[in-house]
Amino acid sequence: MHIPDSFIPLNQAIAYWVIAIPFIFMSMKWAKNELDEMKIPVLAALSAGIFAIQAMNIPIGMGTSGHMVGATLVAIVFGSPWAGVLVLTLVLLVQGFVFADGGITTLGANILNMGVISGFVGYYTYVALRKNTSISIAALVGAWLGLFISAIACSVQMWIAGTFPLVPGLMAMGLYHLIIGFIGEGLITAIVIAAIAKSRPDLLENNSTIKPGKSKKGARA
Amino acid sequence: MSEKSNMKFFYAGIAIALLLSVVAPFLASSDPDGLESAAGGVIEESKLSELEEMEPVVGSPLPDYAIEGMGKSGEIIAIVIGTIAVLVISFVVGKVL
């Protein structure tokens, strides 16, 4: 879903940058206040893993492929959508500047879609579902919905840009990303979160959503 | 949580990331992604080829995760470089902030 430079006129691309910058700033503030020294290796490992898995395009039929984005996964591990914004910003910067994957003028839009929208929708869907469902199902549906909504946002941006017609754009983007979102985002996020919950439950502990309907924060304070 | 177990997570994560980087050139689908595929379906052909021919605004050292003339091994090197770059940048950003 990496938008190239040519798909958005410069003035609109700048507008998306202006919207994205406060989110990037907030994600840096999160790192400053919440990311303790001990968790830096976890963040770095997740970032590297997400960069690598984004190179792994999965065929979804219809001559189309897709890959994981990963903002929801990072947000769940750190218990904050800002962690997802930070990691996706770094990954997208490297992809754009080193590999021409996604434009530089459109980097703001890409950070907004894949870092902010997919991470926030994914994480808060996960948090809402976690009250009544298992960690795997909540992670799967959250990540799936996060990716789907970000694709819908992307097609609206493509329409405003005059690049895609509205309804056919929404239909095509929606259809492809429903499938990519389930396989590439939902399933992988659920598998990784389930594996972390099993092997490193302490890692998810600061995340009050690990136990249904119960926050540990009060007990600890 | 201990520092040791987080370092274990760190090494396991790097191992998985590097493994993915090495196998991706062979296993990844070369079909267009969702956005490209949608573009192919909804944009008029002449306009699409015009958009696709436009050069990126900023040039990149390793466009399309490849090194010219090096085939699959070039792709592996490119993705490994990216994985390590992201790892180092994340670490530094984490430390500095």
Side-chain angles (χ1 to χ4, degrees):
Chain A
M1 211 195 305
H2 294 59
I3 304 167
D5 290 310
S6 61
F7 278 26
I8 300 182
L10 187 59
N11 58 346
Q12 291 176 26
I14 292 170
Y16 295 123
W17 261 116
V18 171
I19 301 168
I21 283 169
F23 286 97
I24 299 168
F25 181 78
M26 287 299 291
S27 79
M28 291 165 74
K29 215 172 146 194
W30 169 84
K32 194 171 158 55
N33 297 333
E34 306 289 332
L35 183 67
D36 62 53
E37 194 78 1
M38 251 165 50
K39 283 205 162 178
I40 295 171
V42 175
L43 185 94
L46 279 174
S47 302
I50 280 163
F51 173 85
I53 208 164
Q54 288 206 2
M56 190 68 94
N57 278 59
I58 302 164
I60 59 155
M62 301 173 288
T64 304
S65 72
H67 60 70
M68 188 185 191
V69 167
T72 305
L73 173 65
V74 178
I76 294 172
V77 171
F78 282 92
S80 167
W82 298 114
V85 176
L86 181 69
V87 166
L88 265 292
T89 299
L90 300 176
V91 167
L92 287 163
L93 273 168
V94 171
Q95 288 172 333
F97 279 100
V98 183
F99 302 101
D101 190 9
I104 300 304
T105 60
T106 48
L107 193 52
N110 285 326
I111 291 171
L112 200 57
N113 294 339
M114 286 182 268
V116 179
I117 297 174
S118 93
F120 270 78
V121 171
Y123 179 69
Y124 286 107
T125 303
Y126 163 85
V127 170
L129 290 174
R130 193 66 195 97
K131 295 189 178 96
N132 300 306
T133 56
S134 73
I135 194 163
S136 305
I137 298 293
L140 188 150
V141 177
W144 185 9
L145 191 66
L147 186 86
F148 177 71
I149 299 297
S150 72
I152 295 301
C154 180
S155 39
V156 172
Q157 293 159 358
M158 291 298 99
W159 171 64
I160 297 169
T163 305
F164 286 9
L166 182 60
V167 175
L170 281 169
M171 301 278 276
M173 285 294 281
L175 172 66
Y176 295 144
H177 290 91
L178 261 183
I179 305 170
I180 295 166
F182 182 75
I183 306 168
E185 197 74 36
L187 282 179
I188 298 174
T189 303
I191 290 167
V192 175
I193 291 296
I196 293 175
K198 208 171 165 218
S199 62
R200 286 293 312 277
D202 59 305
L203 202 57
L204 300 170
E205 220 169 55
N206 65 333
N207 178 340
S208 59
T209 58
I210 184 79
K211 297 232 163 62
K214 194 164 101 184
S215 171
K216 283 194 159 181
K217 273 193 188 133
R220 229 187 250 168
Chain B
M1 189 199 310
S2 72
E3 200 169 338
K4 207 174 144 197
S5 56
N6 279 1
M7 286 315 285
K8 230 186 216 171
F9 187 99
F10 180 63
Y11 293 125
I14 295 173
I16 293 169
L18 289 177
L19 180 70
L20 282 167
S21 310
V22 173
V23 299
F26 302 97
L27 296 183
S29 166
S30 54
D31 285 339
D33 77 4
L35 178 65
E36 292 163 340
S37 211
V42 302
I43 304 177
E44 207 181 299
E45 216 169 294
S46 58
K47 192 183 160 196
L48 182 63
S49 53
E50 195 183 304
L51 289 178
E52 279 174 348
E53 272 166 31
M54 278 164 79
E55 289 290 318
V57 172
V58 178
S60 298
L62 301 166
D64 299 320
Y65 304 91
I67 299 169
E68 221 183 305
M70 284 189 67
K72 291 281 180 205
S73 51
E75 289 178 37
I76 294 173
I77 295 168
I79 300 171
V80 167
I81 289 172
T83 299
I84 294 170
V86 169
L87 185 80
V88 172
I89 293 169
S90 304
F91 218 101
V92 171
V93 167
K95 288 271 180 202
V96 171
L97 289 177

